[in-house]
Amino acid sequence: CYYYFLQEILDTHDSISGQITPTELCQKCLSLIKKTKFLNAYITVSEEVALKQAEESEKRYKNGQSLGDLDGIPVAVKDNFSTSGIETTCASNMLKGYIPPYNATVVQKLLDQGALLMGKTNLDEFAMGSGSTDGIFGPVKNPWSYSKQYREKRKQNPHSKNEDSDWLITGGSSGGSAAAVSAFTCYAALGSDTGGSTRNPAAHCGLVGFKPSYGLVSRHGLIPLVNSMDVPGILTRCVDDAAIVLGALAGPDPKDSTTVHDPINKPFMLPSLADVSKLCIGIPKEYLIPELSSEVRSLWSKAADLFESEGAKVLEVSLPHTSYSIVCYHVLCTSEVASNMARFDGLQYGHRCDINVSTEAMYAATRREGFNDVVRGRILSGNFFLLKENYENYFVKAQKVRRLIANDFVNAFNSGVDVLLTPTTLSEAVPYLEFIKEDNRTRSAQDDIFTQAVNMAGLPAVSIPVALSNQGLPIGLQFIGRAFCDQQLLTVAKWFEKQVQFPVIQLQELMDDCSAVLENEKSASVSLKQ
Amino acid sequence: MAAPMLRWVGRGRLWTFARVDGGSCHRREAPTGSTSNWIRGQSSVAQQPLCMTQKPRKGEHKWAAVVGLEIHAQISSNSKLFSGSQVRFSAPPNSLVSFFDASLPGTLPVLNRRCVEAAVMTGLALNCHINKKSLFDRKHYFYADLPAGYQITQQRLPIAVNGSLTYGVCAGKKQSQVIPKTVRIKQIQLEQDSGKSLHDDLRSQTLIDLNRAEGQLRVDANISVHHPGEPLGVRTEVKNLNSIRFLAKAIDYEIQRQINELENGGEILNETRSFHYQLGCTMSMRDKEGKQDYRFMPEPNLPPLVLYDATSLPAGADPQQVINIDQIRETLPELPSVTRERLVQQYGMLLEHSFTLLNEVGLLEFFQNVIKETRAEPKKVTSWVLNTFLGYLKQQNLAVSESPVTPSALAELLDLLDSRTISSAAAKQVFEELWKREGKTPGQIVSEKQLELMEDRGALEQLCHSMMEAHPQVVMDLKKGNPRAINKLIGLVRKATQSRADPAMIKEILEKKLSS
């Protein structure tokens, strides 16, 4: 059998019947990885490692020595987390062939819990992008492009063009992780979230995409984009699963001085909210912008109504500095990028050019060959902002604006709001050919609009799939919580998830032997025939 | 310099430096003539050049020099500033390099508690204001031995500021007069050391060692000259001076070079120079085109460094998680200036002697142990420790800890001298015996060699008599009116007694006999 949610497998641990062994589960996922290879979700598939881990896990279960909730559970990791002995590329020529000698703390924690590492997932180069289209291994395809729901809607549309070239983007930059979870090749995946890179693809792929509070989860081993905003993100098919993974990852790390020491309630078992009458939901009025698609706007409004009808207080709140956020983000992000990318000089690891006229010439050519235009562009802007003559006018100003943006959230929460409800993206996923009509910078500015302010404030946020659009594509909404109130946030999200009953993706054309799961739309607990 | 560099292989690691910035407020009036007539103290010159005026030659302006020092001193700690890797002198290249030290992607700095404590202690010892909150910054430049492309330092808000150090400079004809001086300290900052580049010009290769546990001290000197009353001149920076002697030489040379350049109608460029220690001159490094912009930025991976004192310490704080300035202050040893003052007061020694006692590692402790065990006068002890004992050490290039003579042995010897059991000449002989490490006490040596002072006047008179008879020529000289001839007789008698007789007594007996 095949269980749709991680939580279901855990439930079966108590009952002996109907249990699937870790090796069977691993093989199932490996076979799905092969079948969905064309999605380009994985850069590296660590088949041997996963099978060996599965074997060990199986032994532990037999001896009654399970390591925890994640023992024997297939997971995938974005290819910007260091994995000992497994190539870690950041989808860049610069790190092609680079094999880290150590595990990122979050990877180590997953392994310590017995999780099976299926592979490293695709992304935009160095996580710079919002489409998962700009890495050296090519774009990631959204599994929903091949879903029954989307295909049927397209048949009804007389204007639809050639289906094969009309596949959709996953969003990004953690698109590989989103596609991997969405296509059932694993139960959970790590993404990274600097401006929305986990929540954005989660929304486009119909998944739960969780960005924890900054400082709750270690960044040690995550190859940085923006140190002051990066957090490891979690992609799963339901909120409970995200909470289980968070429980495994959260906590202080002596190797990351920005992790907080105050103990947070663990494990993250989420209570089922019986009623929401004591809740206050804030709707930031500045998030209602003209670019927002009418479908998303209407779902957002319906969600607010749902809370209200169930007894919650729903308030309009103001985050007055929202419109400055994306520009401010751009300055801070590129400045840190310029600094963080300085280590890639071809000397110690990664790519090195053949030029050896001088060290300087070698640096220049190595970096020219190693980085794509997007990365080089951000390095250039960042160095400009950090120049002595510009520092005050750009970097310092942006830091001040960042503080104002963070204060906006503090003020909203101080006014009695428990959780903010916003859209995650402007619209549903667009076809690749449509997406690349605009450049990476423009797209990032558009797509991070609702998500990056949260990173500047260090708050926890989660994107929850709500419904399918008229085209049959997922739409997500975002909940934002108080700093370090991750559990409260996920509890509200879980209640909401239960109300909306988002449908399961139907991929039977891709995976004919998986038909059992794919035919049952409503099911929370589905098993596959072997 | 061309690739390939030594690639990082296996394990790696980085390393730590505290930096004391001397600021740029120390003036030194330079003579227009030769620099050889500069008066300087020994090590103190490196801390601050002397302030002195010299009469300018007719028709010439006086020049004033301004020197600021940036002193990089290695912190004595077991591990590096931002990583857990060890610090060990002369370890094989790249053997103490952590993943962070090698700047592997995804690694983060973790501040070393011991380094922070050492910086606070240094700040307190140098009368600095300790900042309860300090910040870390990134300083960017591309260089092969800087694997991250930036250095973590404390540019904006360092751990300690506004200090001073008072010291003495030897002056006067015999360099025996000590003039007290004060140098101002602008700031103390914690800073990660870069690696070490070894250039192989022959093969046009550069090898990189990321251990970074090289020398103990490295100084950059900023130097400019101007006419007093006029704006300061353009400064040059002489980099990487690694001994106090070279520092002094480089400063002297650079001041003179700038004066000559300006007097010949040239101009001083704001540039980085290196000191060529064989030629004794500074040379433009010319390695950087134009001005370097370090693009400073806050280090986002290190939260502000917060220190506490008794008043600000939060109740119930885990002592392992906080650093208490007051607690560090309590562990501060007596500072050298206080010790020197105490020595002068307590033992009536000259200030310059107190400097010598403190400048030699272990010498003060040796001195104090001798004082404790002997009845001899402190002045006598000072003289023996600084002249005889230190003289022997220097001659054989030994450290105090390697001395064959223990404080107890010297104390016993001085007791013998003090009780007039032996003469001071015999004492020197005993000391020489002690130095041979034969395990004998001074008392044993004295009795074995029969070095006791000859107290038997009759025997001494007999000896003088026979000596006069044996040297009639000398007696004749004396009688002819050459009073110095008596010294020869005294010498002969002393020799005959193996220096055991008191020369004053010999002289008295001889004079009596000659006049009779």
Side-chain angles (χ1 to χ4, degrees), chain A residues 98 101-102 219 221-222 227 254 257 336 339-340 342-343 346-349 352 356 358-359 363 383 386-388 391 395, chain B residues 1-2 5 7 99 102-107 109-110 138 140 142-144 147-148 150 210 293 295-296 298 300-301 303:
Chain A
Y98 168 66
Y102 75 102
R219 293 178 293 114
L222 165 61
N227 297 286
S257 308
E336 280 200 41
S339 176
N340 287 332
R343 72 186 57 209
L347 275 185
Q348 297 180 84
Y349 41 77
R352 186 198 287 181
N356 64 358
S358 70
T359 309
Y363 287 157
N383 278 323
L386 289 177
L387 285 177
K388 209 173 173 186
Y391 185 75
F395 191 84
Chain B
M1 163 175 82
M5 314 296 166
R7 277 208 164 207
F99 300 145
S103 298
L104 291 197
T107 52
V110 176
R138 290 181 179 180
H140 299 87
F142 282 107
Y143 204 73
Y150 58 82
L210 295 180
D293 189 327
R295 292 156 288 133
F296 282 101
N301 295 318

Side-chain angles (χ1 to χ4, degrees), chain A residues 204-315:
Chain A
H204 287 330
C205 296
L207 298 173
V208 171
F210 177 56
K211 175 221 172 284
S213 296
Y214 184 87
L216 182 60
V217 179
S218 169
R219 293 178 293 114
H220 171 71
L222 165 61
I223 299 176
L225 175 58
V226 185
N227 297 286
S228 65
M229 300 185 206
D230 291 342
V231 287
I234 299 165
L235 291 133
T236 54
R237 292 193 280 266
C238 71
V239 177
D240 273 331
D241 289 359
I244 290 166
V245 177
L246 179 65
L249 303 183
D253 179 7
K255 290 176 183 153
D256 177 358
S257 308
T258 63
T259 49
V260 293
H261 281 266
D262 298 325
I264 217 165
N265 291 335
K266 277 180 91 170
F268 286 83
M269 294 313 275
L270 302 178
S272 291
L273 268 187
D275 90 289
V276 290
S277 60
K278 289 198 179 90
L279 266 188
C280 180
I281 305 290
I283 310 290
K285 64 177 184 190
E286 288 82 4
Y287 281 53
L288 184 60
I289 53 172
E291 297 90 334
L292 186 64
S293 77
S294 58
E295 268 187 292
V296 177
R297 195 173 62 215
S298 132
L299 280 171
W300 184 21
S301 158
K302 272 188 195 163
D305 291 345
L306 171 67
F307 276 102
E308 200 155 37
S309 67
E310 295 292 323
K313 199 164 141 191
V314 177
L315 279 184

Side-chain angles (χ1 to χ4, degrees), chain B residues 65-86:
Chain B
V66 178
V67 179
L69 303 181
E70 194 177 298
I71 301 166
H72 302 250
Q74 180 184 328
I75 295 174
S76 166
S77 66
N78 296 326
S79 58
K80 294 173 187 177
L81 182 55
F82 296 121
S83 80
S85 32
Q86 285 177 39

